[in-house]
Amino acid sequence: AGGDGLPRRERGPGGEHALTLAGVMLLRYIGEAGAADRLQNAVEAVVKEGRYVTRDLNPAAYVGTMEMADRIIERMEGGCIV
């Protein structure tokens, strides 16, 4: 296993959803622009709302990565975020 050898709690914010945005680039690369747009729009909507984002995006009020991912998925599926 790679990494810097520090426990997660000592690393600080890590931009956990940068990989999601890399997925957007991959989808565009393989010709899936529609899927890329849906994913990017969902991420942007969740980030703009600021309520269900990770600590690196809102240190004052944040959720875990799984909760943010769930909100992104809900947004992609057209679900209402409450």
Side-chain angles (χ1 to χ4, degrees):
D4 55 17
L6 294 174
R8 176 69 184 122
R9 68 183 179 283
E10 294 177 18
R11 291 185 200 152
E16 290 89 351
H17 288 283
L19 185 57
T20 305
L21 297 177
V24 169
M25 292 188 293
L26 175 64
L27 287 166
R28 291 193 196 291
Y29 179 78
I30 64 172
E32 294 291 338
D37 290 343
R38 281 182 50 223
L39 179 54
Q40 183 171 350
N41 290 340
V43 170
E44 288 175 359
V46 170
V47 170
K48 183 177 180 181
E49 181 187 30
R51 186 171 170 197
Y52 296 98
V53 294
T54 52
R55 183 178 60 205
D56 56 317
L57 298 174
N58 185 357
Y62 59 90
V63 298
T65 55
M66 291 299 294
E67 290 173 274
M68 183 174 174
D70 288 343
R71 295 298 171 165
I72 292 169
I73 292 166
E74 283 181 25
R75 183 62 73 143
M76 286 180 67
E77 293 174 340
C80 184
I81 297 178
V82 281

